[in-house]
Each structure stands twice: as structure tokens, then as C-alpha cells.
């Protein structure tokens, strides 16, 4: 077992990690943003919003992410007429998929907020969207921070699945080097280590927030 | 909207493609079930390790869980499939790589071990919600530590952990799709294959989605039955 | 003027309000009392459209609350509401709580809102600890901030839903003082409360509700010293203990 293969290809592999981070960034941006709305939709009294949202969430909970990635990869050319940039297809797939999980987290967060707090906001003349934007969402965000971070870590790991549409993220690049040099142990071990470090740090951050919230007893 | 694309939904049923999807479904169910068995056995074992008195055992259990939960399943699969055989020295690894169904064995093992870590975690949460007093009450009736764990604590924690564990049951079938990356012909792989042959991937993957949906709904119904049967009366449930 | 015209409300089969009819003229302070579950809180929430009602009509300055075409948000700017559990936004400081609505609903600048907030804080006697978060304030302080928050939108009417019920006895006085000052300054008020001392001081009319109906109404003296109905008599004897 010689780790020189890692050293030699280090910048190439790190380039893959950079793409992984980019994927994760956009996936999280879109997933959390859409998730905020999905959470609201799941609590809506308007049936035109509640039912489609609920169907969407329950539909995607049954389908593997890989298939969702493929589906968007195939659907985009049909709609746009040209061949699809795999990065964009992947981001869209991740956003649509992860938003269901973030949506459920936000929904749980919204439900911890007392009805009277919302009533108080309405009583000052604020509209539904203003109340959601300044009261509901910020409070839920703070309260659900540990769960949000945990799900963000899951999303970060999920980006590895962009492998299947050829995206040159870390795992794909590891396998490309592996095809050339057949040093699977070092290469996949290295990829595993990188993920482990990032995710472990993330989970420690999540724990920190959990303990903080417990101390302050964030109401 | 560009509709120069011509839909061909018959890929879902005409020969040989319709059969491919069904075969894929069969493989998915097979993989998921086998992996689940491993997951339950190993998961309960590891989960129990984490609550024993011995620090080393607890650490081993925690390490197991942290290892599997911080590395993407895809990377794990690749490691087991490509890298692990090489750990066995020249001759053995060559033999392993020649195995006919290596990919399938690796899939079941990898998926099983991964899912086991999640079950262990759910079990730990279940254990954590059993109060100290319960342990003392059991010990005071004269049972030994081992007996206490075997006859009271573990079954109790298992039943507490049933809701998240049944959710995990659904997840394991979804996760089988990962093994398409090492060439196992489960459902997602087949839908991708149909695209490779016919360039009608949209129809194929949509069909696969519907099949997963049907599979998921069946499993959820099954989960509901199990949950109802094993639910502990009087505790806050759904 | 608030006109509540014969409204009735059901939650499923259960009738929460039955033929409630009352007019509150400008400048008047009306106190609503009664046993719990009598529909007092629900009545308040029907007035500002937080709760729907099935029968009857509520008119605020001539605008019908139940009319689907009515812009309830605009209407609620006119009616301030104070809640039993204060309901301050936990993620904002006291001042920010007060400043939020004027800035977002009326489009005031930060300075304008700040000036208004300072003025109101003085009025409710909360000049220190204005940058604190609600979690660090006492119940009495929180409730006074809540009152200031409602006043920031310069409402024509103020509704109070058991504003002192969640307070420790030492803090009830400071909140009641603010409310009394408001009433004496001419604010039209609708208060659900058990604080009879407050009622005695400022109430122009007392309404006694039981099981969703107005059972008795009158001036403080009439109600207190000469209750007509048995239910009123029972209630009074209970709260006087």
C-alpha cells in the first residue's frame, strides 16, 4: 500500500472535492430554500397547496435519489431541446429531492411555534408572507438547526451520486485514477477519509447547536 | 418546449424491455431482503454493544456507527467491491475477483452493514429512553446482567425503536439502487440499460419510478401492520 | 365603533358563541368576564378576523369582518391585540419587536420606527433593557413590551385577552397601570380579564358571558352590587373568594 498515488493525483482529486462542495452548496441553497416553502405548504389550509405539496413529498420519499438524478438528466433535454449539462441536472435533482427532507424538518419547526404568536403577528397587520418571512421561518430555522445540519451532511454525502451521470466530483475522479493505476485501497480509502472528516466535523457542529439550544432553552 | 423528442412508452412493456424492469424489481427485492437480515442481526448486536459496561465495547460500537454514517454509501460500496478484495493478498484476491456473483455478495454485505449502523443508532435511541429504574427493577428480581439484557431490555428497546426501524426497512430497498454502480442488475440499473439500448430513458425511468412507488406503498402498508402488532400499549405513539 | 351583530360560532357540533350582540362606541372601555370556556377569547378573535364565525356580522368602522372581500390585514392595523402569554417574538429584542410591523407594513424607515418605539417604551415605563431578548425579561416587562408593540401601529381599538392571567401577582399592577392610562387617554378597549379592580377603575360597561352567550351586562356598580342572574351571582362569589 503506497500512498504516493494520492500525492501524485492530489490536485486532481481535490478538484473533484471542489466540485463536490459546489454541488453541495447549490443543492443546499435550493434544498433549504425550497424546503422552507414546502414546509409551509404542508401546513397550508388551502387544499390547492396542501395536496400537491403532500403528494410531491410522499412521492419522492419512495424513489431512490439515483433514479431522480437519471430522470432529470433525461427530462431536461426533452424540455430544453439541447443536451443537458450534467451539473445543472444534478443540482436540480438534488434540490427537488432534498427539499422534501428539509421541508419536513421545517414543518416540524413551524409546528413548535404557538398559534398565538402567529396571531400576535397578524394582529399588528402583518400579512401571511410577512409573518412567514420575519417570524415563522427565522424561528423555525434557529430551533431546527441541529436537524438542518444533520440533513446538510446527508446532502453532502448524496452529492457523490452525481457520479452516475459522469460528473467529475471526488468519487468519479477517484474511480478514474483507479482505472489507470488500480490502487483502489488507497484511492477509495482516501475518498472515505475526506468524507469522514468533513461529515464528522459537521456532526460535531450539530451537537454543539443541540447543546446550546438546550442551555438557552430556546423557546 | 421542444417536442422533437418522440415519446415511446412501449419500452415499458415490449420485449425484452418490460421483462427487464420486472427482473430488476425482483433483484431489488432480493437484495433488500438479504441485506435487511444482515442489518437486523448486526445492528442489534452493535446497538447492544453501545450500552454495555465495558468502555472498549461501547467505543467499538460507536466507532462502527460513526464510520458508516460519515461515509457515503457509494464510497463504501466501491471500497468493498474494488478495494477490499485486494486486502487479501495476491492469490486470494484473484480468486475473489473471479467469483461469479461477487457484485451481488458485496452489495448485500455492504448494504447490510451500512443499514446495521442505522439500526444500531435507532436501538441506542430506544435504549436511551428506558429509564434507569427499569434496569434496577429487573436486577432486583434476581436476573443476571445477561438475562436482563436478553429477556427484558433488548426486546423492550426493540419495540420502542420499531417506528424508525420500519422506516429504515423502506430505506434499504431504496438504497439498493446504489449497487447499479457496480453493475448489479437491479431496477434502476435496468431502466438505465433500457435507455442505453433505446434512448428512451425518460419513459424507462418514469416507469421505474412508478414501480418504486408501488413497492414503497406496499412496504408502508406492511410496516403499518407490523407497527400495530408490536406497538407498546399506552406509550405515546403516532 | 365596533358592532358585533348577533354572531354565532360552532366548532364542529359544539357551539362556542351564541347570538352575541354588542356595540362598542369610540372611547369606551368594555370588560368581558366569565368562567373559562365561555367563549370570551373566541369573541375577541372573531372581531379581528382571526377566527371565522358562521352567523351574524361584525362591523369595524363600518367594514364587515366576515366579508371575504375585506382586506383583513388592513383591518388588523386598526385593532391591536395583547395576549395572555405576551407572545413576543423570541428571536428579536424588545425594541425590534415593536419596530417590526411599522417598518414592514407601513414602510417606515428604521429611524422613524425607532423614534416611535422609544416614545412607546416611555409610555409603558420600560426605558431600560430595551435591547434585551424576551427570554431575559420578566413577565410584566414582556407584557408591557407587547402592549407597546400593538400601539406602534397606532390602532383605533385595543383588545386584551386575559393580559395579566399569566403574571406573578407582583407584576400585575405594572401592566394594569399601563392599561388604565390607555383607557383614560381615550383608547377604545375590549378587555377579557378577571381583574375587577381594573374594571372598577375604567370600565364603562361589563359583559358577563357564560357558555357562549352574553348573560348579563351593565356598569360596574350594577353588575357587582346587583347581579341579576344566578350564573352571575355564582361567578362573582367564586372570584371574590
Amino acid at each position: 500500500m503506497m500512498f504516493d498515488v494520492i500525492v501524485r493525483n492530489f490536485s486532481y482529486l481535490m478538484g473533484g472535492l471542489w466540485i463536490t462542495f459546489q454541488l453541495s452548496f447549490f443543492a443546499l441553497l435550493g434544498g433549504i430554500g425550497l424546503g422552507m416553502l414546502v414546509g409551509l405548504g404542508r401546513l397550508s389550509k388551502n387544499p390547492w397547496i396542501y395536496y400537491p405539496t403532500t403528494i410531491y413529498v410522499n412521492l419522492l420519499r419512495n424513489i431512490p435519489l439515483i433514479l431522480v438524478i437519471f430522470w432529470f438528466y433525461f427530462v431536461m433535454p426533452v424540455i430544453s431541446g439541447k443536451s443537458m449539462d450534467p451539473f445543472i441536472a444534478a443540482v436540480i435533482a438534488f434540490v427537488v429531492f432534498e427539499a422534501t427532507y428539509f421541508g419536513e424538518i421545517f414543518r416540524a419547526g413551524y409546528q413548535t411555534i404557538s398559534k398565538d404568536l402567529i396571531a400576535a403577528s397578524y394582529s399588528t397587520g402583518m400579512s401571511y408572507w410577512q409573518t412567514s418571512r420575519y417570524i415563522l421561518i427565522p424561528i423555525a430555522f434557529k430551533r431546527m438547526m441541529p436537524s438542518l445540519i444533520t440533513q446538510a451532511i446527508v446532502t453532502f454525502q448524496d452529492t457523490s451520486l452525481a457520479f452516475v451521470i459522469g460528473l467529475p466530483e471526488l468519487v468519479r475522479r477517484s474511480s478514474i485514477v483507479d482505472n489507470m493505476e488500480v490502487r483502489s485501497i488507497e484511492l477509495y480509502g482516501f475518498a472515505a477519509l475526506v468524507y469522514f472528516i468533513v461529515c464528522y466535523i459537521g456532526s460535531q457542529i450539530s451537537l454543539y447547536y443541540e447543546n446550546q439550544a438546550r442551555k438557552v432553552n430556546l423557546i | 418546449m421542444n417536442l422533437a423528442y418522440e415519446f415511446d412508452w412501449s419500452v415499458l412493456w415490449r420485449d425484452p424491455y418490460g421483462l427487464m424492469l420486472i427482473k430488476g424489481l425482483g433483484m431489488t427485492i432480493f437484495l433488500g431482503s438479504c441485506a435487511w437480515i444482515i442489518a437486523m442481526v448486526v445492528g442489534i448486536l452493535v446497538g447492544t454493544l453501545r450500552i454495555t459496561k465495558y468502555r472498549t465495547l461501547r467505543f467499538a460500537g460507536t466507532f462502527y456507527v460513526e464510520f458508516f454514517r460519515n461515509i457515503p454509501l457509494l464510497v463504501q460500496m466501491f471500497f468493498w467491491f474494488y478495494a477490499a478484495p485486494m486486502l487479501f493478498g495476491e492469490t486470494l484476491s484473484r480468486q475473489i475477483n473471479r467469483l461469479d456473483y461477487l457484485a451481488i455478495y458485496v452489495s448485500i454485505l455492504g448494504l447490510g452493514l451500512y443499514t446495521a449502523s442505522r439500526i444500531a443508532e435507532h436501538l441506542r435511541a430506544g435504549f436511551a429512553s428506558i429509564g434507569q429504574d427499569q434496569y434496577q427493577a429487573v436486577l432486583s428480581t434476581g436476573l443476571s446482567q445477561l438475562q436482563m439484557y436478553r429477556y427484558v431490555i433488548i426486546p423492550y428497546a426493540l419495540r420502542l425503536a420499531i417506528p424508525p426501524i420500519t422506516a429504515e426497512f423502506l430505506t434499504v430497498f431504496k438504497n439498493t439502487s446504489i449497487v447499479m454502480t457496480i453493475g448489479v442488475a437491479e431496477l434502476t440499473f435496468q431502466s438505465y440499460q433500457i435507455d442505453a439500448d433505446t434512448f428512451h430513458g425518460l419513459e424507462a425511468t418514469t416507469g421505474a419510478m412508478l414501480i418504486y412507488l408501488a413497492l414503497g406503498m406496499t412496504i408502508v402498508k406492511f410496516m403499518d401492520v407490523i407497527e400495530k402488532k408490536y406497538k407498546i400499549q399506552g406509550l405515546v405513539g403516532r | 365603533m365596533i358592532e358585533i351583530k348577533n354572531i354565532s360560532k360552532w366548532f364542529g357540533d359544539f357551539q362556542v358563541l351564541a347570538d352575541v350582540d354588542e356595540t362598542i362606541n369610540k372611547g369606551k372601555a368594555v370588560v368581558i368576564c366569565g368562567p373559562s370556556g365561555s367563549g370570551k377569547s373566541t369573541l375577541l378573535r372573531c372581531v379581528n378576523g382571526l377566527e371565522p364565525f358562521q352567523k351574524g356580522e361584525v362591523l369595524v368602522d363600518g367594514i364587515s369582518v366576515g366579508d371575504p372581500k375585506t382586506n383583513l390585514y388592513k383591518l388588523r392595523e386598526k385593532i391591536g391585540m395583547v395576549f395572555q402569554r405576551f407572545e413576543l417574538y423570541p428571536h428579536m429584542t424588545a425594541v425590534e419587536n415593536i419596530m417590526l410591523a411599522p417598518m414592514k407594513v407601513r414602510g417606515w424607515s428604521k429611524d422613524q420606527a425607532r423614534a416611535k418605539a422609544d416614545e412607546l417604551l416611555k409610555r409603558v415605563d420600560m426605558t431600560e433593557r430595551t435591547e434585551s431578548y424576551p427570554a431575559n425579561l420578566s413577565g410584566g416587562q414582556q407584557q408591557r413590551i407587547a402592549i407597546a408593540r400593538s400601539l406602534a401601529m397606532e390602532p383605533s381599538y385595543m383588545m386584551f385577552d386575559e393580559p395579566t392571567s399569566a403574571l406573578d401577582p407582583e407584576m400585575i399592577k405594572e401592566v394594569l397601570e399601563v392599561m388604565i392610562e390607555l383607557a383614560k387617554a381615550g383608547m377604545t378597549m375590549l378587555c377579557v380579564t378577571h381583574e375587577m379592580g381594573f374594571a372598577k377603575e375604567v370600565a364603562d360597561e361589563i359583559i358577563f358571558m357564560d357558555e357562549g352567550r352574553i348573560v348579563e351586562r351593565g356598569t360596574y356598580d350594577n353588575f357587582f352590587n346587583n347581579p341579576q342572574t344566578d350564573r352571575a351571582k355564582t361567578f362573582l362569589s367564586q372570584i371574590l373568594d
Side-chain angles (χ1 to χ4, degrees):
Chain A
M1 221 187 317
M2 284 180 295
F3 288 94
D4 59 305
V5 67
I6 307 286
V7 176
R8 265 182 283 122
N9 296 291
F10 193 72
S11 58
Y12 181 64
L13 293 173
M14 283 297 116
L17 182 61
W18 174 236
I19 301 218
T20 298
F21 276 123
Q22 285 181 298
L23 267 177
S24 306
F25 175 75
F26 288 109
L28 285 174
L29 202 63
I32 293 180
L34 185 58
M36 289 176 182
L37 298 175
V38 168
L40 287 176
R42 292 273 282 140
L43 293 173
S44 173
K45 297 210 180 79
N46 181 348
W48 289 107
I49 299 188
Y50 175 75
Y51 285 111
T53 313
T54 303
I55 292 176
Y56 155 63
V57 170
N58 286 322
L59 182 74
L60 261 81
R61 290 300 204 92
N62 281 308
I63 301 176
L65 179 51
I66 293 189
L67 193 59
V68 177
I69 295 175
F70 277 139
W71 194 84
F72 276 103
Y73 186 61
F74 292 135
V75 110
M76 300 261 96
V78 172
I79 297 183
S80 71
K82 37 191 161 76
S83 95
M84 173 46 78
D85 175 359
F87 188 86
I88 297 182
V91 170
I92 295 179
F94 288 131
V95 169
V96 169
F97 187 80
E98 302 289 347
T100 61
Y101 291 89
F102 284 113
E104 291 299 276
I105 293 177
F106 275 107
R107 178 171 74 101
Y110 298 145
Q111 289 178 312
T112 64
I113 298 173
S114 80
K115 285 211 178 98
D116 272 355
L117 189 66
I118 309 298
S121 175
Y122 285 146
S123 303
T124 58
M126 302 243 282
S127 71
Y128 175 78
W129 287 112
Q130 288 174 322
T131 304
S132 300
R133 189 174 158 207
Y134 296 108
I135 312 294
L136 213 50
I137 292 178
I139 295 180
F141 196 84
K142 281 211 174 114
R143 282 189 193 167
M144 304 309 283
M145 192 58 95
S147 303
L148 289 174
I149 294 181
T150 305
Q151 187 60 36
I153 295 174
V154 171
T155 303
F156 178 71
Q157 292 185 12
D158 282 348
T159 57
S160 61
L161 295 181
F163 172 93
V164 299
I165 52 177
L167 214 59
E169 43 72 58
L170 178 59
V171 182
R172 167 67 58 179
R173 289 200 181 187
S174 303
S175 82
I176 289 176
V177 177
D178 186 48
N179 277 334
M180 290 196 297
E181 310 204 26
V182 195
R183 292 234 146 265
S184 315
I185 300 177
E186 295 91 319
L187 285 163
Y188 293 121
F190 178 68
L193 186 66
V194 171
Y195 272 108
F196 188 90
I197 293 176
V198 177
C199 296
Y200 190 73
I201 294 178
S203 66
Q204 293 305 105
I205 296 179
S206 170
L207 246 137
Y208 168 76
Y209 271 104
E210 226 181 286
N211 290 330
Q212 278 293 87
R214 223 172 269 155
K215 269 191 253 168
V216 176
N217 197 21
L218 198 64
I219 311 165
Chain B
M1 189 155 141
N2 172 47
L3 289 176
Y5 181 85
E6 277 171 29
F7 282 86
D8 179 8
W9 292 97
S10 70
V11 292
L12 289 180
W13 62 76
R14 69 179 150 97
D15 250 357
Y17 304 117
L19 217 54
M20 279 168 74
L21 287 179
I22 303 294
K23 279 204 226 157
L25 175 64
M27 178 60 83
T28 296
I29 295 178
F30 172 69
L31 291 172
S33 315
C34 296
W36 181 252
I37 297 174
I38 296 182
M40 280 297 271
V41 171
V42 176
I44 293 177
L45 198 67
V46 174
T48 321
L49 278 181
R50 297 182 74 184
I51 53 149
T52 57
K53 274 193 312 186
Y54 306 104
R55 270 242 303 238
T56 23
L57 289 183
R58 280 208 308 267
F59 182 75
T62 307
F63 181 73
Y64 183 96
V65 171
E66 289 297 324
F67 177 81
F68 282 98
R69 69 148 45 149
N70 285 312
I71 302 174
L73 186 54
L74 183 66
V75 177
Q76 292 179 31
M77 275 298 160
F78 280 2
F79 190 85
W80 300 131
F81 187 63
Y82 294 115
M86 298 169 91
L87 292 167
F88 288 95
E90 283 272 358
T91 35
L92 199 53
S93 57
R94 225 172 278 159
Q95 281 183 336
I96 293 178
N97 277 322
R98 284 225 195 89
L99 274 176
D100 262 344
Y101 295 110
L102 176 64
I104 295 186
Y105 296 139
V106 168
S107 307
I108 295 176
L109 195 64
L111 197 53
L113 291 180
Y114 171 77
T115 310
S117 77
R118 296 176 66 115
I119 291 182
E121 187 59 19
H122 295 316
L123 209 52
R124 185 192 63 81
F127 279 126
S129 38
I130 301 177
Q132 272 288 33
D133 293 344
Q134 182 76 276
Y135 289 86
Q136 289 167 353
V138 176
L139 286 174
S140 69
T141 65
L143 264 63
S144 76
Q145 280 261 358
L146 199 63
Q147 288 174 318
M148 170 182 77
Y149 279 112
R150 186 166 162 219
Y151 294 112
V152 180
I153 303 293
I154 294 182
Y156 184 21
L158 263 175
R159 285 174 71 165
L160 280 175
I162 284 198
I165 289 184
T166 52
E168 213 56 60
F169 187 61
L170 175 60
T171 308
V172 81
F173 285 98
K174 283 194 294 170
N175 282 341
T176 57
S177 59
I178 286 261
V179 307
M180 70 151 292
T181 56
I182 53 177
V184 177
E186 48 72 61
L187 183 52
T188 309
F189 179 91
Q190 297 288 36
S191 72
Y192 189 69
Q193 272 302 108
I194 296 179
D195 175 72
D197 270 0
T198 67
F199 292 106
H200 285 283
L202 183 53
E203 296 89 320
T205 48
T206 307
M209 276 192 181
L210 294 172
I211 297 181
Y212 272 112
L213 195 60
L215 179 64
M217 285 173 20
T218 316
I219 292 180
V220 168
K221 277 264 161 343
F222 179 61
M223 275 158 46
D224 277 344
V225 168
I226 300 271
E227 266 194 56
K228 272 206 187 78
K229 183 168 177 216
Y230 287 101
K231 194 164 147 169
I232 301 184
Q233 303 293 7
L235 284 182
V236 178
R238 277 217 221 120
Chain C
M1 175 167 74
I2 298 181
E3 298 165 85
I4 304 170
K5 293 178 159 181
N6 256 303
I7 63 171
S8 296
K9 179 183 168 67
W10 287 263
F11 270 135
D13 285 333
F14 179 65
Q15 186 163 23
V16 191
L17 293 173
D19 298 315
V20 177
D21 195 291
E22 176 71 12
T23 304
I24 299 130
N25 291 310
K26 233 177 174 356
K28 297 276 177 258
V30 175
V31 165
I32 307 174
C33 64
S36 52
S38 53
K40 318 186 293 279
S41 293
T42 315
L43 179 61
L44 288 187
R45 285 150 212 265
C46 287
V47 170
N48 66 355
L50 286 176
E51 287 279 351
F53 47 90
Q54 286 80 26
K55 259 178 69 184
E57 213 186 3
V58 175
L59 297 172
V60 177
D61 290 344
I63 303 170
S64 169
V65 173
D67 188 348
K69 287 199 230 88
T70 306
N71 186 339
L72 278 177
Y73 301 137
K74 272 220 144 348
L75 188 73
R76 291 188 190 125
E77 292 180 46
K78 289 196 206 182
I79 311 175
M81 187 162 177
V82 175
F83 297 80
Q84 183 174 352
R85 293 212 165 80
F86 338 129
E87 307 294 350
L88 290 180
Y89 312 134
H91 60 307
M92 296 182 176
T93 64
V95 215
E96 287 168 348
N97 261 270
I98 302 174
M99 287 163 62
L100 183 66
M103 280 169 58
K104 301 301 172 189
V105 179
R106 293 260 170 85
W108 288 10
S109 75
K110 206 163 178 202
D111 293 322
Q112 278 178 293
R114 187 78 213 222
K116 183 73 175 175
D118 286 335
E119 168 201 325
L120 289 169
L121 284 166
K122 226 179 281 176
R123 193 170 174 190
V124 303
D125 201 23
M126 270 285 304
T127 40
E128 292 144 13
R129 321 207 53 198
T130 58
E131 306 291 338
S132 302
Y133 284 91
N136 297 325
L137 296 172
S138 75
Q141 291 170 321
Q142 289 188 54
Q143 193 62 298
R144 284 182 278 144
I145 302 280
I147 295 175
R149 179 177 65 178
S150 301
L151 291 174
M153 292 299 282
E154 298 169 332
S156 314
Y157 309 96
M158 283 285 280
M159 300 201 297
F160 295 83
D161 189 358
E162 305 215 31
T164 56
S165 299
L167 292 174
D168 289 335
E170 320 87 70
M171 295 189 257
I172 295 182
K173 179 158 175 268
E174 65 199 44
V175 174
L176 286 181
E177 276 173 5
V178 173
M179 290 167 64
I180 290 171
E181 185 265 314
L182 261 179
K184 290 199 168 144
M187 173 65 79
T188 317
M189 293 166 96
L190 197 51
C191 296
V192 173
T193 183
H194 297 303
E195 292 295 324
M196 287 300 147
F198 169 76
K200 181 173 185 181
E201 180 105 18
V202 295
D204 296 297
E205 186 178 18
I206 296 195
I207 296 175
F208 174 67
M209 282 183 74
D210 192 11
E211 292 180 354
R213 282 179 197 282
I214 297 183
V215 173
E216 211 173 306
R217 50 158 70 89
T219 63
Y220 177 83
D221 285 319
N222 285 344
F223 179 69
F224 231 78
N225 301 319
N226 209 4
Q228 302 292 311
T229 60
D230 283 335
R231 281 189 274 182
K233 288 182 191 155
T234 323
F235 176 72
L236 281 170
S237 68
Q238 281 169 344
I239 65 169
L240 285 180
D241 272 334

